[in-house]
Amino acid sequence: MTPHPPPPVNYLRLSITDRCNLRCLYCLPAGEFDKLPSREILSYEEFLRLAQVAAAVGLQKIRVTGGEPLVRQGVVEFLRRLTRVPGVAKVCLTTNGVLLPDLAADIHAAGVRHLNLSLDTLDAGRYAALTGGDHLPRVLAGLERALRLGFQPLKLNCVVLQGINDQELLEIARLAKDDPLEVRFIEFMPLAAPERWQAHFLPMAEVRARLAALGPLIPVAADPTAGPARLYQPPGFRGRLGFISPVSSHHCPTCNRLRLTAAGRLRPCLFSAEEVDVKGPLRRGATDAELAQLLIGAARLKSRRPCPPGSALPAGSRAMRSIGG
Ligand code: SAM
Protein backbone atom coordinates (compact mmCIF):
# COMPACT_ATOMS: atom_id res chain seq x y z
CA MET A 1 0.00 0.00 0.00
CA THR A 2 1.35 3.51 -0.81
CA PRO A 3 1.77 5.58 2.36
CA HIS A 4 -0.26 8.80 2.56
CA PRO A 5 1.82 11.86 1.65
CA PRO A 6 2.36 14.22 4.60
CA PRO A 7 -0.25 16.99 4.79
CA PRO A 8 0.74 20.40 3.47
CA VAL A 9 2.08 22.83 6.05
CA ASN A 10 -0.72 25.38 5.94
CA TYR A 11 -0.98 26.71 9.49
CA LEU A 12 1.23 29.32 11.15
CA ARG A 13 1.15 30.22 14.82
CA LEU A 14 2.43 33.66 15.77
CA SER A 15 3.57 34.20 19.35
CA ILE A 16 3.21 37.97 19.49
CA THR A 17 4.63 38.36 23.00
CA ASP A 18 6.42 36.34 25.66
CA ARG A 19 4.69 38.38 28.38
CA CYS A 20 1.79 36.82 30.28
CA ASN A 21 -0.56 37.90 33.04
CA LEU A 22 -0.68 34.35 34.47
CA ARG A 23 1.93 31.92 35.79
CA CYS A 24 0.43 28.54 34.93
CA LEU A 25 2.08 25.60 36.59
CA TYR A 26 2.20 23.58 33.34
CA CYS A 27 3.72 26.40 31.32
CA LEU A 28 6.15 28.07 33.67
CA PRO A 29 9.77 26.95 33.53
CA ALA A 30 11.33 25.79 36.82
CA GLY A 31 13.73 28.71 37.28
CA GLU A 32 13.47 32.42 36.58
CA PHE A 33 12.04 33.39 33.23
CA ASP A 34 13.99 36.08 31.37
CA LYS A 35 11.68 38.30 29.37
CA LEU A 36 12.88 39.30 25.94
CA PRO A 37 13.91 42.94 25.61
CA SER A 38 11.14 44.72 23.65
CA ARG A 39 13.41 45.45 20.66
CA GLU A 40 13.97 41.68 20.27
CA ILE A 41 10.24 41.06 19.83
CA LEU A 42 8.90 41.41 16.31
CA SER A 43 6.87 44.55 15.69
CA TYR A 44 3.31 44.27 14.40
CA GLU A 45 4.53 45.54 11.02
CA GLU A 46 7.05 42.70 10.93
CA PHE A 47 4.45 40.09 11.86
CA LEU A 48 2.11 41.43 9.16
CA ARG A 49 4.82 41.32 6.51
CA LEU A 50 5.65 37.72 7.44
CA ALA A 51 1.96 36.78 7.49
CA GLN A 52 1.58 38.12 3.96
CA VAL A 53 4.60 36.15 2.72
CA ALA A 54 3.42 33.06 4.61
CA ALA A 55 -0.07 33.23 3.10
CA ALA A 56 1.46 33.50 -0.36
CA VAL A 57 3.32 30.20 0.19
CA GLY A 58 0.22 28.42 1.46
CA LEU A 59 0.19 29.14 5.23
CA GLN A 60 -3.31 30.54 5.10
CA LYS A 61 -4.50 29.75 8.58
CA ILE A 62 -2.88 31.96 11.24
CA ARG A 63 -3.23 31.71 15.00
CA VAL A 64 -2.22 34.57 17.27
CA THR A 65 -0.93 33.35 20.61
CA GLY A 66 1.77 34.10 23.18
CA GLY A 67 2.56 34.52 26.09
CA GLU A 68 -0.81 36.14 26.53
CA PRO A 69 -1.57 37.92 23.26
CA LEU A 70 -4.16 40.24 24.80
CA VAL A 71 -1.59 41.90 27.08
CA ARG A 72 0.26 43.36 24.08
CA GLN A 73 -0.84 46.92 23.41
CA GLY A 74 -2.55 47.47 20.10
CA VAL A 75 -3.50 43.81 19.69
CA VAL A 76 -7.04 44.50 18.44
CA GLU A 77 -5.83 46.76 15.64
CA PHE A 78 -3.18 44.15 14.78
CA LEU A 79 -5.89 41.47 14.54
CA ARG A 80 -8.00 43.73 12.35
CA ARG A 81 -5.10 44.24 9.96
CA LEU A 82 -4.19 40.54 10.02
CA THR A 83 -7.69 39.49 8.97
CA ARG A 84 -7.28 41.75 5.92
CA VAL A 85 -3.90 40.42 4.77
CA PRO A 86 -4.36 39.07 1.24
CA GLY A 87 -4.38 35.27 1.22
CA VAL A 88 -4.97 34.85 4.96
CA ALA A 89 -8.09 32.71 5.10
CA LYS A 90 -8.53 32.28 8.86
CA VAL A 91 -7.29 34.27 11.84
CA CYS A 92 -7.59 32.44 15.14
CA LEU A 93 -6.75 33.63 18.64
CA THR A 94 -5.66 31.70 21.73
CA THR A 95 -6.08 33.50 25.04
CA ASN A 96 -6.32 32.80 28.75
CA GLY A 97 -9.45 35.00 28.71
CA VAL A 98 -8.52 37.28 31.61
CA LEU A 99 -8.90 40.37 29.39
CA LEU A 100 -11.71 38.93 27.30
CA PRO A 101 -14.61 40.67 29.09
CA ASP A 102 -13.09 44.01 27.99
CA LEU A 103 -11.90 42.99 24.53
CA ALA A 104 -14.23 40.28 23.18
CA ALA A 105 -16.54 42.65 21.32
CA ASP A 106 -13.64 44.54 19.71
CA ILE A 107 -11.90 41.31 18.73
CA HIS A 108 -15.10 40.09 17.10
CA ALA A 109 -15.56 43.43 15.34
CA ALA A 110 -11.94 43.15 14.13
CA GLY A 111 -13.03 40.09 12.14
CA VAL A 112 -11.73 37.24 14.31
CA ARG A 113 -14.16 34.33 14.65
CA HIS A 114 -11.99 31.43 15.84
CA LEU A 115 -11.30 31.61 19.53
CA ASN A 116 -9.51 29.22 21.87
CA LEU A 117 -9.80 29.89 25.56
CA SER A 118 -7.67 28.21 28.21
CA LEU A 119 -9.75 26.99 31.13
CA ASP A 120 -8.35 24.22 33.30
CA THR A 121 -10.63 24.37 36.32
CA LEU A 122 -14.02 25.72 37.41
CA ASP A 123 -12.96 26.12 41.02
CA ALA A 124 -11.84 29.65 41.90
CA GLY A 125 -9.32 28.58 44.56
CA ARG A 126 -7.81 25.92 42.32
CA TYR A 127 -7.67 28.39 39.44
CA ALA A 128 -5.71 30.85 41.58
CA ALA A 129 -3.32 28.12 42.76
CA LEU A 130 -2.79 26.78 39.23
CA THR A 131 -2.40 30.08 37.40
CA GLY A 132 -1.16 32.45 40.10
CA GLY A 133 -4.09 34.79 39.36
CA ASP A 134 -7.44 35.25 41.05
CA HIS A 135 -9.27 35.70 37.75
CA LEU A 136 -11.70 32.81 37.24
CA PRO A 137 -14.79 35.10 37.36
CA ARG A 138 -13.30 37.27 34.59
CA VAL A 139 -12.51 34.24 32.42
CA LEU A 140 -16.05 32.86 32.85
CA ALA A 141 -17.49 36.31 32.05
CA GLY A 142 -15.24 36.38 28.96
CA LEU A 143 -16.52 32.95 27.91
CA GLU A 144 -20.11 34.12 28.33
CA ARG A 145 -19.46 37.20 26.18
CA ALA A 146 -17.71 35.12 23.53
CA LEU A 147 -20.69 32.76 23.36
CA ARG A 148 -23.11 35.65 23.04
CA LEU A 149 -21.02 37.29 20.31
CA GLY A 150 -21.10 34.03 18.36
CA PHE A 151 -17.40 33.18 18.00
CA GLN A 152 -17.32 29.89 16.11
CA PRO A 153 -15.47 27.66 16.59
CA LEU A 154 -15.14 28.46 20.26
CA LYS A 155 -12.82 25.98 21.94
CA LEU A 156 -11.88 25.53 25.57
CA ASN A 157 -8.39 24.14 26.23
CA CYS A 158 -8.06 22.15 29.42
CA VAL A 159 -4.64 20.75 30.31
CA VAL A 160 -5.33 17.68 32.44
CA LEU A 161 -3.26 17.53 35.61
CA GLN A 162 -3.45 14.50 37.85
CA GLY A 163 -4.08 15.52 41.44
CA ILE A 164 -4.94 19.10 40.44
CA ASN A 165 -7.97 19.24 38.12
CA ASP A 166 -8.62 15.58 37.25
CA GLN A 167 -11.56 15.34 39.64
CA GLU A 168 -13.34 18.01 37.57
CA LEU A 169 -13.20 16.41 34.14
CA LEU A 170 -16.89 15.54 33.94
CA GLU A 171 -17.94 18.98 35.09
CA ILE A 172 -15.64 20.66 32.57
CA ALA A 173 -16.84 18.35 29.77
CA ARG A 174 -20.45 19.26 30.57
CA LEU A 175 -19.73 22.87 29.56
CA ALA A 176 -20.26 21.54 26.02
CA LYS A 177 -23.66 20.05 26.84
CA ASP A 178 -25.89 23.04 26.14
CA ASP A 179 -23.51 25.40 24.35
CA PRO A 180 -21.83 25.08 20.94
CA LEU A 181 -18.39 24.68 22.48
CA GLU A 182 -15.56 22.29 21.81
CA VAL A 183 -14.03 21.29 25.15
CA ARG A 184 -10.56 19.95 24.44
CA PHE A 185 -8.65 17.89 26.96
CA ILE A 186 -4.89 18.14 26.44
CA GLU A 187 -2.19 15.89 27.84
CA PHE A 188 0.32 17.69 30.00
CA MET A 189 3.51 17.95 27.95
CA PRO A 190 6.88 17.77 29.68
CA LEU A 191 7.91 21.26 28.61
CA ALA A 192 8.55 22.90 31.95
CA ALA A 193 9.92 21.30 35.12
CA PRO A 194 10.27 17.47 34.70
CA GLU A 195 9.34 16.69 38.31
CA ARG A 196 6.05 18.57 37.86
CA TRP A 197 5.31 16.49 34.78
CA GLN A 198 6.09 13.23 36.58
CA ALA A 199 3.80 14.21 39.45
CA HIS A 200 0.84 15.42 37.37
CA PHE A 201 0.78 13.68 33.98
CA LEU A 202 -2.41 11.74 33.22
CA PRO A 203 -2.65 9.81 29.92
CA MET A 204 -5.56 10.64 27.62
CA ALA A 205 -6.80 7.03 27.68
CA GLU A 206 -7.47 7.51 31.39
CA VAL A 207 -9.22 10.84 30.74
CA ARG A 208 -11.51 9.15 28.22
CA ALA A 209 -12.24 6.31 30.63
CA ARG A 210 -13.30 8.81 33.27
CA LEU A 211 -15.71 10.45 30.82
CA ALA A 212 -17.52 7.15 30.18
CA ALA A 213 -20.25 8.40 32.51
CA LEU A 214 -21.35 10.75 29.70
CA GLY A 215 -22.39 7.79 27.54
CA PRO A 216 -20.86 6.47 24.32
CA LEU A 217 -18.59 9.03 22.65
CA ILE A 218 -19.59 9.27 18.99
CA PRO A 219 -16.68 10.22 16.69
CA VAL A 220 -17.13 13.45 14.72
CA ALA A 221 -15.19 14.26 11.55
CA ALA A 222 -12.83 17.20 12.00
CA ASP A 223 -12.11 20.04 9.58
CA PRO A 224 -8.88 19.02 7.80
CA THR A 225 -6.97 22.10 9.09
CA ALA A 226 -8.27 21.67 12.63
CA GLY A 227 -5.17 20.05 14.11
CA PRO A 228 -4.54 17.09 16.30
CA ALA A 229 -7.75 16.85 18.37
CA ARG A 230 -9.85 13.69 18.02
CA LEU A 231 -13.45 14.86 18.25
CA TYR A 232 -16.48 13.20 19.79
CA GLN A 233 -20.03 14.09 20.69
CA PRO A 234 -21.61 12.48 23.72
CA PRO A 235 -25.36 11.76 23.46
CA GLY A 236 -27.50 14.84 24.03
CA PHE A 237 -24.59 17.28 23.72
CA ARG A 238 -24.84 20.41 21.59
CA GLY A 239 -21.07 20.85 21.64
CA ARG A 240 -18.19 18.43 21.26
CA LEU A 241 -15.27 17.01 23.16
CA GLY A 242 -11.73 16.89 21.80
CA PHE A 243 -8.82 14.78 22.98
CA ILE A 244 -5.25 15.87 22.28
CA SER A 245 -2.52 13.38 23.13
CA PRO A 246 0.85 14.95 22.26
CA VAL A 247 2.63 12.65 24.73
CA SER A 248 1.00 9.25 24.36
CA SER A 249 0.64 9.51 20.58
CA HIS A 250 2.73 12.09 18.78
CA HIS A 251 1.15 13.74 15.78
CA CYS A 252 4.35 14.43 13.83
CA PRO A 253 3.39 12.52 10.66
CA THR A 254 0.22 14.60 10.29
CA CYS A 255 1.39 17.93 11.78
CA ASN A 256 0.52 20.84 9.47
CA ARG A 257 1.91 23.77 11.48
CA LEU A 258 4.87 26.08 11.84
CA ARG A 259 5.44 28.33 14.83
CA LEU A 260 6.97 31.79 14.79
CA THR A 261 8.32 32.83 18.19
CA ALA A 262 8.02 36.34 19.57
CA ALA A 263 11.76 36.68 18.89
CA GLY A 264 11.21 36.03 15.20
CA ARG A 265 12.45 32.46 14.95
CA LEU A 266 10.57 29.79 13.04
CA ARG A 267 10.11 26.58 14.93
CA PRO A 268 9.34 23.55 12.72
CA CYS A 269 8.58 21.23 15.65
CA LEU A 270 7.59 21.76 19.26
CA PHE A 271 9.62 18.72 20.29
CA SER A 272 12.87 19.82 18.69
CA ALA A 273 15.01 22.83 19.60
CA GLU A 274 15.75 23.48 15.93
CA GLU A 275 14.83 27.02 14.85
CA VAL A 276 15.25 29.19 11.77
CA ASP A 277 15.94 32.89 12.30
CA VAL A 278 13.76 35.19 10.20
CA LYS A 279 14.08 38.36 12.25
CA GLY A 280 17.75 38.84 11.27
CA PRO A 281 17.12 38.56 7.51
CA LEU A 282 13.90 40.61 7.83
CA ARG A 283 15.70 43.46 9.61
CA ARG A 284 18.60 43.32 7.15
CA GLY A 285 16.19 43.98 4.28
CA ALA A 286 15.38 40.50 2.91
CA THR A 287 13.03 40.45 -0.05
CA ASP A 288 9.65 38.68 0.08
CA ALA A 289 11.12 35.90 -2.07
CA GLU A 290 13.97 35.40 0.44
CA LEU A 291 11.57 35.33 3.36
CA ALA A 292 9.37 32.86 1.48
CA GLN A 293 12.40 30.59 1.05
CA LEU A 294 13.00 30.68 4.83
CA LEU A 295 9.39 29.64 5.47
CA ILE A 296 9.52 26.87 2.88
CA GLY A 297 12.89 25.69 4.26
CA ALA A 298 11.49 25.58 7.82
CA ALA A 299 8.47 23.57 6.64
CA ARG A 300 10.86 21.06 5.03
CA LEU A 301 12.67 20.63 8.34
CA LYS A 302 9.57 19.15 9.92
CA SER A 303 10.21 15.62 10.99
CA ARG A 304 7.62 13.16 9.70
CA ARG A 305 8.75 10.40 12.04
CA PRO A 306 6.80 10.15 15.29
CA CYS A 307 8.92 11.11 18.31
CA PRO A 308 9.21 8.37 20.94
CA PRO A 309 6.25 8.52 23.33
CA GLY A 310 6.94 10.78 26.28
CA SER A 311 9.88 12.54 24.65
CA ALA A 312 10.50 15.86 26.32
CA LEU A 313 11.78 19.08 24.87
CA PRO A 314 15.57 19.00 24.75
CA ALA A 315 17.43 20.77 27.54
CA GLY A 316 17.93 24.45 26.87
CA SER A 317 14.79 24.78 24.78
CA ARG A 318 12.45 27.68 25.24
CA ALA A 319 9.54 27.93 27.58
CA MET A 320 6.12 27.41 26.01
CA ARG A 321 5.27 31.05 26.50
CA SER A 322 8.05 32.14 24.16
CA ILE A 323 7.25 29.47 21.59
CA GLY A 324 3.54 30.09 21.63
CA GLY A 325 1.66 26.98 22.80
N1 SAM B 1 -1.85 32.69 27.12
C1 SAM B 1 -2.63 32.02 26.15
C2 SAM B 1 -3.45 30.92 26.79
O1 SAM B 1 -3.31 30.69 27.99
O2 SAM B 1 -4.27 30.32 26.10
C3 SAM B 1 -1.87 31.48 24.94
C4 SAM B 1 -0.56 30.83 25.17
S1 SAM B 1 -0.60 29.29 26.02
C5 SAM B 1 1.11 28.86 25.99
C6 SAM B 1 -1.36 28.28 24.79
C7 SAM B 1 -1.73 26.90 25.20
O3 SAM B 1 -0.59 26.18 25.52
C8 SAM B 1 -2.65 26.81 26.37
O4 SAM B 1 -3.96 26.57 25.93
C9 SAM B 1 -2.19 25.59 27.11
O5 SAM B 1 -3.21 24.68 27.04
C10 SAM B 1 -1.02 25.09 26.30
N2 SAM B 1 0.10 24.61 27.12
C11 SAM B 1 1.07 25.35 27.71
N3 SAM B 1 1.94 24.54 28.37
C12 SAM B 1 1.49 23.28 28.19
C13 SAM B 1 1.95 21.99 28.62
N4 SAM B 1 3.02 21.86 29.37
N5 SAM B 1 1.25 20.91 28.23
C14 SAM B 1 0.14 21.04 27.48
N6 SAM B 1 -0.34 22.23 27.04
C15 SAM B 1 0.33 23.32 27.39
Side-chain angles (χ1 to χ4, degrees), residues 301-321:
L301 288 174
K302 286 179 80 63
S303 164
R304 292 306 184 180
R305 276 172 292 118
C307 309
S311 48
L313 278 184
S317 46
R318 292 165 195 282
M320 192 69 154
R321 55 191 285 179

Side-chain angles (χ1 to χ4, degrees), residues 13 20-22 24 26-27 65-69 94-97 116-118 120 157-159 186-192 246 320-321 324-325:
R13 300 170 66 102
C20 190
N21 45 2
L22 294 180
C24 298
Y26 50 76
C27 194
T65 176
E68 171 48 39
T94 299
T95 173
N96 60 33
N116 284 16
L117 180 59
S118 296
D120 308 304
N157 287 345
C158 171
V159 179
I186 306 175
E187 275 179 347
F188 180 19
M189 291 184 275
L191 301 175
M320 192 69 154
R321 55 191 285 179

Side-chain angles (χ1 to χ4, degrees), residues 255-320:
C255 178
N256 62 346
R257 59 192 63 188
L258 276 185
R259 294 176 164 85
L260 179 62
T261 69
R265 299 176 72 83
L266 285 166
R267 180 117 186 175
C269 174
L270 195 54
F271 288 91
S272 155
E274 191 166 29
E275 292 181 343
V276 175
D277 180 36
V278 279
K279 180 176 66 192
L282 181 64
R283 292 189 176 174
R284 288 192 295 272
T287 62
D288 284 358
E290 287 163 345
L291 295 174
Q293 277 315 313
L294 291 174
L295 285 154
I296 293 166
R300 288 205 182 114
L301 288 174
K302 286 179 80 63
S303 164
R304 292 306 184 180
R305 276 172 292 118
C307 309
S311 48
L313 278 184
S317 46
R318 292 165 195 282
M320 192 69 154

